[in-house]
Every structure is written in structure tokens, then in C-alpha cells.
Amino acid sequence: MSDLSALVELIEQGAPGEALGAFPLPKSYQAAVVRRDEQAMFEGMASADKDPRRSLHVQEVALPELAPDEAVVAVMASSINFNTVWSAIFEPLPTFGFLDRLGRESVWGRRHVVDHHQVGSDAAGVVVRAGSAVRGWKPGDRVVVHCNHVDDQDPSAHDDSMLAGNQRIWGFETNFGGLAELAVVKANQLLAKPAHLTWEEAGVNALCNSTAYRMLVSRNGAAMKQGDVVFIWGATGGLGGYATQYVLHGGGIPVGVVSSPEKVKLLQDLGCEAVLDRAERGYRFWRDEHTQDETEWRRLGGDVRALVGEDPHIVFEHPGRQTMGASVFLARKGGVIVTCAATSGHRIEYDNRHLWMKLKTIRSSHFANYKEAFEANRLIRLGRIQPILSATFPLDEVGEAAAQVHQNRHEGKIGVRCLAPRDGLGITDPAFREQVGEDRITLFRRHA
Ligand SMILES: NC(=O)c1ccc[n+]([C@@H]2O[C@H](COP(=O)([O-])OP(=O)(O)OC[C@H]3O[C@@H](n4cnc5c(N)ncnc54)[C@H](OP(=O)(O)O)[C@@H]3O)[C@@H](O)[C@H]2O)c1
């Protein structure tokens, strides 16, 4: 078994980078994985019954050789993203197919093809090794990791790296992800850790925060402007908790949808005045499995107008099949429906007449390029956008943490302590934390 407690001690003592770079890394370490020989374990079951507690294992895995453009990060904390739920329930496809494809790409890609998949697409930690081609990062740097895994060899990557042919999501379409004691990342995934945050607060942001930034703020997404009404599904969820903040911070008018009185209160405390409780309102957009009910779309539209007096310029969409018909209807003439996901089903149906006659646009979005991830992280570092950490689990309980997200029992983001022995460590700028305000930083946590 690996024992990295001496490394953690050095990190907590603020030991110089040379000491961390010289620390002998073990041949193996603990990681949360799904196993290739279990990828059929849930066949024939309904999605809701597939239990991540059965499929996610914490086990010893081998540390791979480091490619020249990579770094090894000692992961202090990570988070549960919905893609870890997808990996753990082997939907829509087992992720081993992604790893096998990556394995055919290059010698370095081949390292990813093993019998386990180390999952996780967020991390906060410390660089402990840097490959020979890495510029700008060195052992000792405190970092967070964004999950756009891409190199610069495809011409498309030089406009928007999300368009590159070999763009992948680290820890989902690649191995060596963040839910582990050590992770292997490309240097172009590294961002400076916000100094005023704990490890677990810093480790939950990059994936959802960057995605929400691209969807709403970036010109690659909806490019929200001041005064825009933005309708947000799941407004206290992983994506929605950041989306709501971007709308408020950018001078827009959020209309947030949630599904309980507790979440209504949380959203109001976040500063969102126009809130709909979809459970209380009882919307039934589908009469049966095949038929949508336009009168329910109209009822929702009426509720939005009653709250803010007008229709949304932007609809922030991710639930997919259950809501897309309503989302397309809801946007105002010329409005944008920006989508990055389909949690409730990816075969989408909407009434095209509402789209073309009202000149609306459906805009697709997927994670974020390095520049967008950098800008999103910068806003966290500046204390303008807050982490939405609501709870933490130790790495050993990663299955339970993923089950909570799968069953929608969480708010905001769930953090996972990997090497961090307890919550509350990792703050190096307490004065700035005080300036930003403990209350704002810990809103989701206190609420949970
Ligand atoms: N393409 C990308 O780059 C990208 C990035 C991040 C996430 N995603 C995807 O986006 C989706 C959401 O991710 P997340 O991190 O925000 O997940 P999350 O933390 O589970 O939050 C999603 C929220 O959506 C709401 N919701 C779920 N099902 C719904 C339904 N049928 N109708 C209306 N609302 C529903 C729930 O809120 P209430 O119950 O309170 O309404 C839920 O809390 C996932 O499928 C994920 O894989 C994609």
C-alpha cells in the first residue's frame, strides 16, 4: 500500500518545490476506479437502479511513466461530477471504449489502456513532477486542474481547442483522473489554485464553473449581455450554481428552477429573486412517453412572465429530453437555448415551428477551452464567483458520494478529500478570504 503521508506533511508545511520534486514517488497509489471486467454488471437494469457504490472501487494502481508535456499532481481534493456517475453506471457507454481509442493514438496514449479506469475530472493539489517539455509549472506549484485534455497538433485546436479532433475529457475519456492520490495531467490543464480557498473548496470548481462560463459568458456560447433574462434549469446543481452566479455577476436577470423549498431558499440566499419550484408547480411536459403537452410549456411560460415580466433571452439547458421541448418554447423571439447535456435522455423532441418562426437558436456547448477555463478560474481567484461546495467525503466513500449525485440528493457540488486528511486545509491567503467573506464562500456548505 502506498503511504503518502510524508508528502502531505511537506505540502502542509509549505516545503519548497525542490523538496517536493525530490520526494520519491511510490510505484503505486490509491485511486477510485471502475473495472473493465465489471462493465456489463448493470446490463438490463433501469438507470436509476444502477448503484455507483457497487461499481466504484478504491484500489492500488500503478503510477504511469510521465510524458514530456505532463505533470504529476498530488491530489488533495477532487469532486464528483456527473460524468463520474456516467462512468460508474456505464452509460451511455462504458468508458473503456474511450481509453482503447486513445490507446491507438500514440505510444503515450497506450498507457491509458489498462483493466481499470481511474475516474474524476476535477482536482486541487500540488505539482510533484513536471515532464521535460513543461514550461511555466514546477514542483511545489499549488494548482487546480481543468479537464480539457488536448494537444496542439490539430489545426482546429488553434482557434478553439474544443474543436480539436483529439479533444477529450480527462478522467472520463482518459485514464489517471482526479479521484485519486496522484493524477497525471497535461501541463495545459493546470491553473493556479485560488489562495483563499481550502483544498476541497478549490477542487470542486473547474469542470462545472468553466462549462457554465463558456455556455453563458463566452462568445462560443450565448454571450450573455447586461439585462438578459436567463432561465436556468437545476439552478442550485453543479452547473446551475455557477450559472446563476454568472448571470447575477454579469448584470443579467436569472430565473432559477429547483425542486424543493430548501433549494428555493438557497437560491434566494445566492441572490436569485425569481425562483420556480418545479416539484411544487408540478409541471408535466410529457403526457406519456411519446407525447408532449404544449399547455404545460405555456403554463411555465406564464409563470416566468409573472416573475420577471418577459420571456428569457437565454435558456440554460441540460436536463435534455424531459425539458427541451419546454426550453425551445420558452425562449423569446430571437433567443438562444444553450445546451451541454441531456441528463434525462438524449433523444430530444421539440416543436420546430417554435424555433424557426421565432428565429431562435439552439447553441451547443461542451466544457471549455484553456482560455475559458483560465477566465472562469480567474473569477474564482478574484473572489467574484464562489465555490458551491455543499459536502465532502473521504476518497474511501467515493461510491456513496457518486450515489448522492446520481439520485439528486445533493446541492451544488460534492467534494472528495483525496490526500487532504481533513477539511479546512490549504488556505494561503486568509486576509483575502476574510475580504471576500466566509459567509459567501461557504453558503452552500452552511445550507447543507
Ligand atoms: N458538456 C459538458 O461539458 C458538461 C459539463 C458539466 C456537466 N454536464 C452534464 O450536465 C448535466 C448536469 O450536470 P450538473 O453537474 O449540473 O448535475 P447536477 O449537480 O446533478 O445538477 C443538475 C440539476 O438539474 C436538475 N434536473 C435533473 N433532472 C431534471 C429534469 N428531468 N428536469 C428538470 N430539472 C432536472 C436537478 O435540479 P432540481 O432537482 O433542483 O431541479 C439537478 O440538481 C449532466 O448530465 C452532466 O453530465 C456536461
Side-chain angles (χ1 to χ4, degrees):
M1 288 276 278
S2 59
D3 181 6
L4 288 165
S5 50
L7 177 64
V8 175
E9 227 167 88
L10 285 177
I11 290 170
E12 282 313 307
Q13 287 162 3
E18 295 77 41
L20 296 173
F23 185 90
L25 292 181
K27 286 193 166 53
S28 65
Y29 58 93
Q30 292 280 297
V33 305
V34 289
R35 294 175 183 156
R36 193 182 283 268
D37 63 3
E38 291 185 349
Q39 55 187 322
M41 69 191 291
F42 296 135
E43 257 174 30
M45 291 169 68
S47 293
D49 298 331
K50 298 177 181 174
D51 189 342
R53 286 168 293 203
R54 285 182 54 203
S55 54
L56 278 173
H57 307 278
V58 176
Q59 69 180 44
E60 202 74 5
V61 299
L63 181 65
E65 191 187 342
L66 197 62
D69 63 345
E70 290 178 342
V72 178
V73 174
V75 183
M76 301 302 279
S78 178
S79 89
I80 303 295
N81 283 293
F82 217 94
N83 67 4
T84 291
V85 175
W86 296 127
S87 299
I89 64 173
F90 307 105
E91 282 195 24
L93 295 165
T95 43
F96 289 97
F98 301 140
L99 304 185
D100 294 345
R101 204 166 313 140
L102 172 52
R104 290 192 286 275
E105 199 177 90
S106 69
V107 171
W108 295 111
R110 214 165 296 150
R111 293 169 304 164
H112 294 251
V113 186
V114 284
D115 287 338
H116 60 266
H117 183 183
Q118 176 179 326
V119 293
S121 300
D122 267 320
V126 180
V127 174
V128 288
R129 289 291 186 280
S132 56
V134 173
R135 295 179 291 113
W137 302 98
K138 55 184 187 327
D141 289 343
R142 293 175 167 233
V143 293
V144 292
V145 179
H146 77 78
C147 64
N148 183 11
H149 186 277
V150 67
D151 62 27
D152 60 2
Q153 295 182 34
D154 182 337
S156 310
H158 290 259
D159 181 20
D160 173 11
S161 61
M162 289 307 296
L163 295 178
N166 69 341
Q167 187 282 324
R168 294 181 168 88
I169 298 297
W170 165 72
F172 179 62
E173 294 165 294
T174 80
N175 225 316
F176 321 128
L179 285 162
E181 294 177 328
L182 299 175
V184 175
V185 307
K186 285 188 181 286
N188 63 9
Q189 290 177 251
L190 295 173
L191 299 161
K193 174 188 172 289
H196 64 296
L197 298 183
T198 64
W199 293 115
E200 61 279 6
E201 288 164 351
V204 297
N205 304 307
L207 190 148
C208 282
N209 180 41
S210 311
T211 305
Y213 179 93
R214 180 174 170 117
M215 288 175 78
L216 285 178
V217 183
S218 168
R219 63 189 149 99
N220 290 316
M224 190 200 92
K225 62 182 190 322
Q226 293 181 40
D228 278 358
V229 173
V230 182
F231 181 93
I232 304 165
W233 290 109
T236 60
L239 288 173
Y242 297 103
T244 304
Q245 294 187 65
Y246 279 116
V247 177
L248 289 167
H249 191 249
I253 302 164
V255 180
V257 185
V258 289
S259 65
S260 70
E262 295 76 25
K263 288 181 180 179
V264 168
K265 174 78 173 64
L266 173 58
L267 201 48
Q268 287 167 338
D269 289 350
L270 195 60
C272 179
E273 290 169 8
V275 181
L276 288 170
D277 180 343
R278 67 183 171 100
E280 182 252 326
R281 300 296 300 154
Y283 302 116
R284 287 182 61 89
F285 302 130
W286 289 82
R287 246 183 235 141
D288 57 49
E289 214 180 306
H290 309 288
T291 327
Q292 296 200 57
D293 184 348
E294 182 162 336
T295 60
E296 285 292 274
W297 302 347
R298 289 184 186 281
R299 184 160 74 90
L300 173 63
D303 288 346
V304 173
R305 284 184 186 178
L307 283 172
V308 293
E310 44 185 314
D311 296 329
H313 297 77
I314 300 169
V315 177
F316 187 86
E317 167 61 45
H318 50 86
R321 183 169 173 81
Q322 283 297 324
T323 55
M324 191 66 166
S327 294
V328 169
F329 174 81
L330 207 58
R332 72 170 56 193
K333 197 166 186 179
V336 178
I337 301 96
V338 61
T339 178
C340 74
T343 315
S344 66
H346 52 271
R347 299 272 176 195
I348 299 299
E349 281 179 39
Y350 60 87
D351 187 331
N352 205 25
R353 293 168 299 180
H354 290 303
L355 190 79
W356 96 73
M357 292 295 289
K358 302 271 174 64
L359 299 131
K360 304 178 189 184
T361 304
I362 297 176
R363 187 88 217 231
S364 62
S365 192
H366 185 41
F367 186 58
N369 61 37
Y370 195 5
K371 173 73 172 154
E372 290 160 340
F374 174 88
E375 294 296 344
N377 185 55
R378 177 173 163 265
L379 285 160
I380 300 237
R381 290 178 67 205
L382 292 173
R384 306 293 174 113
I385 298 290
Q386 308 308 330
I388 58 171
L389 176 77
S390 64
T392 57
F393 286 79
L395 183 60
D396 281 348
E397 293 173 30
V398 65
E400 173 57 31
Q404 293 207 358
V405 175
H406 184 30
Q407 293 156 8
N408 197 17
R409 286 192 274 134
H410 67 302
E411 287 172 346
K413 298 286 310 171
I414 292 188
V416 176
R417 285 189 310 276
C418 297
L419 284 171
R422 59 182 187 280
D423 284 0
L425 304 173
I427 300 168
T428 49
D429 192 346
F432 185 58
R433 186 178 179 91
E434 207 176 310
Q435 200 180 315
V436 175
E438 194 73 24
D439 277 9
R440 294 172 68 212
I441 296 170
T442 59
L443 175 66
F444 277 65
R445 189 87 199 240
R446 283 182 291 111
H447 211 274

